[in-house]
Amino acid sequence: MEIQDWKTIGFGYRKTNLNVRCYYKNGEWGELQLSDSEYLNIHMAATSLHYGQEAFEGLKAFKGKDGKVRVFRMDENAKRMQHSSDGILMPHVPIETFKEAVKLAVKKNIEFVPPYGSGASLYIRPLLIGVGPEIGVRPSQEYLFIVFVMPVGPYFPEGFKPTDLLIMRQFDRAAPLGTGKYKVGGNYAASLTAGKKAKAEGYSAVLYLDAREKKYLDECGPANFFGIKNNTYITPKSESILPSITNKSIIQIAEDMGLKVERRQVPVEELETFEEVGACGTAAVISPIKRVYDADEDKEYLYGNEPGTWSTKLYEKLRAIQDGDAPDPYGWVTVIE
Ligand SMILES: Cc1ncc(COP(=O)(O)O)c(C=O)c1O
């Protein structure tokens, strides 16, 4: 594909060569297996199908100027999948198994890693599902861990161009003591209606408020939220948001660039005071926000049509580390040999 085509591929499923699978039976994990099938043959009473006993991850690999392929922070995704598994009573995929499966999936599909400078990357999707039959609500005895990959463009088609967010109080994505902090399918099913409504009205995502009081910012659809003011990077602290690995990385970069960092409750009204606002995540990278519209209050918050200075600096540094254009003092990237 030409670089121009890579810029417009969008964020969607694409078939690649092989995927990696590993079964858990009788209390233990088997060996990694390669499959060229896009389909699974699982029991119709599998717990993943009925009771949402499934967790997934999302991470990316990037091709550098030097031709090397680098995977970003896969150990963090491995740990987060274990955390999600704790939340819905699934066995841990061992960290080493997770990392080996990711490396193997990338290696076996290496020709699908988009070229350096294209703006596209290889998205890696690890998935853990309960496959054993249960008809009562209880955890499965058997599991399948799969890793598949595909080339993708930016999640928000605008890329590093500011977009709009929508606040609506009639939808919650996750309950305060529920599963919002885990990367499990149910949270995403619960977000479909609100997400569709926001997109139909021209917004890139919903900016959710805390479900208990509707007073504080939670997160933006499939990404964490941040605001910047007075040389301070501020991001919501909440029990019902996914701990974003991109956000964690940006926090580290921000501190090293001399920004102060605050992770705390962020009242909705504080939107008025931010100089820059953005959404961050593996898929979204850093997506600057130009406008937040609070539909219930009929109030809009504006941040300018161009990405802010700090958002741009953070974005460029993060992408440079991912591509291998900047040193990686934190040990975040793994080169696929
Ligand atoms: C709900 C939600 N919040 C935040 C994020 C961002 O997390 P990460 O930076 O680890 O991709 C994601 C995943 O991409 C997500 O699904």
Side-chain angles (χ1 to χ4, degrees):
M1 283 168 95
E2 300 289 318
I3 296 269
Q4 262 331 97
D5 300 329
W6 287 111
K7 287 196 192 307
T8 54
I9 62 166
F11 192 89
Y13 178 77
R14 268 163 203 263
K15 182 177 174 1
T16 52
N17 290 339
L18 294 169
N19 54 82
V20 179
R21 302 176 179 199
C22 186
Y23 286 91
Y24 178 92
K25 273 187 197 143
N26 303 321
E28 49 184 357
W29 288 100
E31 298 293 315
L32 298 185
Q33 302 168 10
L34 285 167
S35 171
D36 63 0
S37 171
E38 296 171 275
Y39 294 90
L40 306 174
N41 189 7
I42 62 171
H43 198 286
M44 62 187 174
T47 58
S48 51
L49 300 178
H50 297 257
Y51 305 126
Q53 207 193 13
E54 73 94 28
F56 65 100
E57 272 302 329
L59 63 161
K60 281 179 174 172
F62 304 87
K63 189 174 280 175
K65 218 184 259 176
D66 53 10
K68 290 185 181 161
V69 173
R70 293 170 175 82
V71 178
F72 190 67
R73 303 201 78 174
M74 63 175 164
D75 47 337
E76 287 294 323
N77 294 90
K79 283 192 263 175
R80 192 169 65 189
M81 182 169 258
Q82 290 193 340
H83 186 234
S84 297
S85 299
D86 291 339
I88 56 166
L89 298 186
M90 301 197 290
H92 282 178
V93 173
I95 303 286
E96 275 315 305
T97 306
F98 184 101
K99 295 204 291 194
E100 284 311 310
V102 166
K103 285 194 272 187
L104 188 59
V106 175
K107 233 188 254 182
K108 292 291 175 188
N109 297 287
I110 203 92
E111 66 270 37
F112 291 96
V113 185
Y116 173 79
S118 63
S121 54
L122 190 77
Y123 185 71
I124 305 164
R125 169 55 62 87
L127 173 69
L128 176 61
I129 58 176
V131 292
E134 296 291 346
I135 213 63
V137 180
R138 65 177 79 91
S140 173
Q141 299 294 312
E142 294 179 11
Y143 295 85
L144 173 57
F145 172 58
I146 313 165
V147 180
F148 59 97
V149 303
M150 74 214 72
V152 295
Y155 187 83
F156 298 139
E158 296 80 358
F160 193 63
K161 290 250 176 61
T163 62
D164 294 14
L165 295 178
L166 176 63
I167 295 175
M168 296 178 280
R169 286 169 186 70
Q170 73 269 41
F171 297 101
D172 291 323
R173 171 187 166 276
L177 300 175
T179 55
K181 57 183 176 294
Y182 308 123
K183 202 160 170 70
V184 298
N187 299 335
Y188 296 81
S191 75
L192 289 174
T193 308
K196 185 175 172 196
K197 194 165 155 56
K199 290 210 179 83
E201 292 175 24
Y203 297 89
S204 62
V206 178
L207 176 51
Y208 288 97
L209 302 185
D210 78 285
R212 195 192 307 268
E213 293 184 272
K214 305 277 180 188
K215 262 192 177 166
Y216 303 102
L217 303 179
D218 245 1
E219 62 181 336
C220 339
N224 275 184
F225 173 91
F226 68 84
I228 299 176
K229 62 178 176 187
N230 310 324
N231 292 330
T232 310
Y233 178 95
I234 300 159
T235 192
K237 184 172 174 180
S238 160
E239 268 299 288
S240 51
I241 66 177
L242 190 76
S244 155
I245 296 161
T246 312
N247 200 3
K248 190 173 173 178
S249 310
I250 296 170
I251 285 172
Q252 178 78 60
I253 295 170
E255 280 175 341
D256 291 354
M257 281 181 172
L259 281 173
K260 274 188 275 165
V261 169
E262 292 176 10
R263 189 182 250 148
R264 58 164 168 81
Q265 287 186 313
V266 182
V268 194
E269 312 75 63
E270 199 173 338
L271 281 171
E272 202 134 35
T273 67
F274 289 124
E275 295 151 16
E276 297 176 38
V277 153
C280 63
T282 297
V285 194
I286 288 179
S287 297
I289 304 302
K290 64 179 182 335
R291 171 174 175 259
V292 177
Y293 180 58
D294 184 334
D296 306 298
E297 304 287 330
D298 188 22
K299 189 164 181 187
E300 66 175 5
Y301 303 92
L302 300 171
Y303 303 100
N305 289 335
E306 295 304 320
T309 319
W310 279 115
S311 301
T312 307
K313 279 193 200 167
L314 294 167
Y315 174 84
E316 285 174 353
K317 187 63 188 262
L318 174 69
R319 291 290 300 107
I321 295 174
Q322 291 173 329
D323 281 347
D325 286 340
D328 172 27
Y330 319 108
W332 285 344
V333 298
T334 305
V335 174
I336 299 297
E337 304 289 356

